[in-house]
Amino acid sequence: MVTINAIIDIAPQLARGLSVTVSVLLASAIFAYLMAFIAGLSRLSKNTFIRKFTGLYVEVFRGTSLIVQLFWLYYAIPMLFGIQLGSNWWIGVIAIGLNYGAYLSEVVRGSILSVAKGQTEAATALNMSSFQRMRLIIFPQAVRMMLPEFSNYTIQMLKGTSLVSLIGMTDILYYGDIIRSTNLSQAPLVYLLVLVFYFILALPLIWLTRKGETISKKGVAS
Amino acid sequence: MNFTYWSWDTFFDALPFVLQGLGITVGLTITCYLFALTFGFVWTFLRRVPNKAFNWIVTWTMEFIRSTPPLVQLFFIYYAWPMIPGVGFALNPFASAVLGLGIHFSTYVGEIYRSGIESVDKGQWEASRALNFTTLDKWKKIILPQAIPPTIPMLGNYFIIMFKEVPLASTIGVAGIMLMANTYGAQNWAYLEPLTIVGIIFLVLSYPSAVLIKKLEVKMNTRFDKNAAVKSDQKGAVM
């Protein structure tokens, strides 16, 4: 019964961090999706400069880890450019968004390239412009294939949001650390509850991933 | 824009200091990876136990470990594990990181093994049974030699992913390049140069490995492509 009382005591304290975790997740997810489509399409551009430049972005952000990028942005941006980025919230969102945007841009690129070549040819035969071809023929088919990977990477982003506690954001993990530092013997329960909080947030995304897998397979000849 | 804060003197001063941690970072990556490769087999084995309830528990345990932050899992092992009455004991930062990151990634590795085993043709299972192989021989001589090689590129990818997750261990005090950079930053109040060095080290080490693994993948695909094998068989039959 001691445990149940402790849970009732700890859970509401952790819940105070929910808003930060969820808001960072939502904002960085939107930012990452945006970057994914911009970078993914740019890497298929005919312009060599655009292609090389986006390639550089993708390789740099995929080649270094999120925690390094987060700290780099946290310390470097104010120093390098002499500006304050508003708040740590923005630094977290930008770091996670740029990092996973780079990963997701590869998903966008791969899906577009995997649309059968006959589709492009058919669209050309129907005298469509290259924009129409992408918008009406290629893209709608490619988006379906992206679904499972997008929700899968959103789970990764949720895991990544825990890092913002390291730059002083008051997310779930931050409150967990506070409780642990005042009462060390409660550490097992505190961190277990923190994990459960993250898992509950991840559940809809897990469901979405599985759903996305069935949608992306539907009506596609294997 | 002004770059007055960037100093090459600091850069070259911090470089040897940060590089001191490289051995630990690489060592931790390799140890974690070997742990994950071994522990992955445990998950694969547990998932093959033919009991629905048990299977459900194993599947959701894996899902739980996989979809919660490795950072929290590290903290759990480092701070909470010693506090658990009865079973708990204190672990040093390095061992905690090996356990935390190792278990986290073993769930991914376990899934890769599973996909490899499931991709082995049904006829192979039937043949090993028809030839009266023992269970051990069936796995050792028939299934695993066919299941593991096609998964090597995927496993290689996880080596790089793990390398990039290892700086998380700096939060519990493993003195890799990340902690070295932060220490240098705190001592000299210059974070930009050491952190840039860390970024460059990661890029320099992970990008060539990624290119190498992509090459390996192409090679494996041509070697293990079932359709290619069938096609060459048919060609042989015609000729």
Side-chain angles (χ1 to χ4, degrees):
Chain A
M1 287 309 102
V2 179
T3 330
I4 291 174
N5 282 333
I7 290 173
I8 293 169
D9 182 42
I10 294 168
Q13 297 187 55
L14 294 177
R16 285 194 290 168
L18 265 177
S19 61
V20 169
T21 298
V22 173
S23 67
V24 169
L25 175 65
L26 288 178
S28 54
I30 292 169
F31 187 36
Y33 298 161
L34 212 68
M35 286 309 291
F37 282 107
I38 295 171
L41 292 172
S42 300
R43 284 200 88 179
L44 298 167
S45 152
K46 287 194 191 96
N47 186 317
T48 321
F49 175 74
I50 293 177
R51 228 172 35 230
K52 287 265 157 71
F53 183 76
T54 358
L56 185 71
Y57 153 68
V58 172
E59 293 309 340
V60 165
F61 277 85
R62 287 197 327 154
T64 56
S65 51
L66 176 61
I67 183 173
V68 179
Q69 291 154 22
L70 186 73
F71 276 109
W72 198 87
L73 287 173
Y74 181 63
Y75 289 113
I77 288 193
M79 280 186 161
L80 205 54
F81 304 112
I83 51 162
Q84 291 293 331
L85 251 184
S87 65
N88 291 348
W89 189 86
W90 277 107
I91 292 176
V93 168
I94 291 172
I96 297 170
L98 284 177
N99 183 275
Y100 286 102
Y103 282 99
L104 282 170
S105 76
E106 289 288 276
V107 175
V108 171
R109 189 174 74 110
S111 304
I112 288 175
L113 286 177
S114 73
V115 172
K117 205 158 179 280
Q119 300 286 326
T120 316
E121 289 163 356
T124 315
L126 290 170
N127 203 19
M128 285 182 172
S129 71
S130 66
F131 181 70
Q132 280 177 319
R133 212 158 57 203
M134 185 55 91
R135 187 172 69 93
L136 298 169
I137 308 293
I138 312 290
F139 206 69
Q141 296 183 62
V143 163
R144 265 185 7 167
M145 286 187 252
M146 298 171 198
L147 282 176
E149 283 293 301
F150 264 68
S151 43
N152 193 19
Y153 271 110
T154 314
I155 300 177
Q156 303 294 328
M157 273 184 243
L158 171 66
K159 284 155 64 176
T161 60
S162 66
L163 293 178
V164 298
S165 67
L166 300 174
I167 56 167
M169 290 294 298
T170 54
D171 71 340
I172 301 172
L173 179 57
Y174 176 88
Y175 284 109
D177 278 338
I178 298 269
I179 305 168
R180 185 257 305 162
S181 60
T182 52
N183 191 347
L184 204 57
S185 66
Q186 275 192 333
L189 194 61
V190 170
Y191 285 123
L192 201 65
L193 278 176
V194 172
L195 288 171
V196 169
F197 265 88
Y198 279 107
F199 187 60
I200 290 169
L201 289 175
L203 277 177
L205 297 168
I206 294 169
W207 180 80
L208 218 66
T209 311
R210 292 183 180 174
K211 191 93 186 155
E213 268 160 15
T214 34
I215 292 174
S216 68
K217 278 192 197 123
K218 208 191 252 168
V220 179
S222 57
Chain B
M1 280 197 282
N2 74 67
F3 287 95
T4 46
Y5 290 102
W6 177 266
S7 144
W8 284 107
D9 286 343
T10 317
F11 182 89
F12 286 112
D13 188 43
L15 189 60
F17 189 83
V18 174
L19 280 175
Q20 281 172 18
L22 188 59
I24 298 239
T25 298
V26 173
L28 181 60
T29 312
I30 293 170
T31 322
C32 282
Y33 188 61
L34 292 178
F35 185 91
L37 284 187
T38 319
F39 209 70
F41 272 115
V42 176
W43 291 119
T44 314
F45 176 75
L46 288 177
R47 280 203 67 164
R48 292 190 67 82
V49 173
N51 176 316
K52 263 211 172 129
F54 186 75
N55 219 289
W56 189 86
I57 293 170
V58 173
T59 310
W60 279 101
T61 310
M62 287 174 86
E63 198 70 81
F64 183 86
I65 295 173
R66 222 177 344 177
S67 46
T68 51
L71 183 65
V72 185
Q73 291 166 6
L74 273 184
F75 285 177
F76 183 86
I77 286 176
Y78 188 63
Y79 294 112
W81 181 249
M83 293 295 151
I84 297 175
V87 285
F89 54 89
L91 289 159
N92 66 29
F94 191 89
S96 307
V98 171
L99 268 184
L101 295 175
I103 290 175
H104 186 84
F105 281 99
S106 69
T107 56
Y108 289 95
V109 171
E111 283 296 285
I112 295 175
Y113 290 152
R114 193 173 68 100
S115 72
I117 289 167
E118 279 175 3
S119 73
V120 174
D121 196 78
K122 207 176 154 217
Q124 301 288 327
W125 299 83
E126 290 164 355
S128 61
R129 194 163 169 185
L131 291 170
N132 203 18
F133 273 53
T134 61
T135 312
L136 184 70
D137 272 352
K138 179 177 81 185
W139 283 98
K140 213 171 68 184
K141 294 184 175 156
I142 311 278
I143 307 301
L144 289 183
Q146 296 182 76
I148 299 301
T151 63
I152 288 171
M154 263 192 279
L155 292 174
N157 264 331
Y158 271 99
F159 183 70
I160 302 175
I161 294 174
M162 188 168 264
F163 177 57
K164 287 182 283 188
E165 293 288 318
V166 154
L168 287 181
S170 69
T171 56
I172 55 167
V174 175
I177 47 176
M178 189 70 198
L179 189 67
M180 284 308 196
N182 274 328
T183 311
Y184 185 91
Q187 281 169 1
N188 302 283
W189 194 242
Y191 284 96
L192 181 57
E193 293 86 355
L195 283 172
T196 309
I197 291 170
V198 173
I200 293 171
I201 293 173
F202 271 101
L203 209 57
V204 163
L205 290 178
S206 72
Y207 185 66
S209 333
V211 172
L212 208 75
I213 281 166
K214 205 158 210 176
K215 274 199 179 140
L216 195 69
E217 204 173 339
V218 173
K219 208 172 161 184
M220 287 288 180
N221 274 345
T222 45
R223 196 170 148 194
F224 290 99
D225 188 359
K226 293 233 170 74
N227 295 328
V230 173
K231 267 178 222 147
S232 64
D233 275 2
Q234 285 166 343
K235 213 187 268 171
V238 170
M239 284 194 291

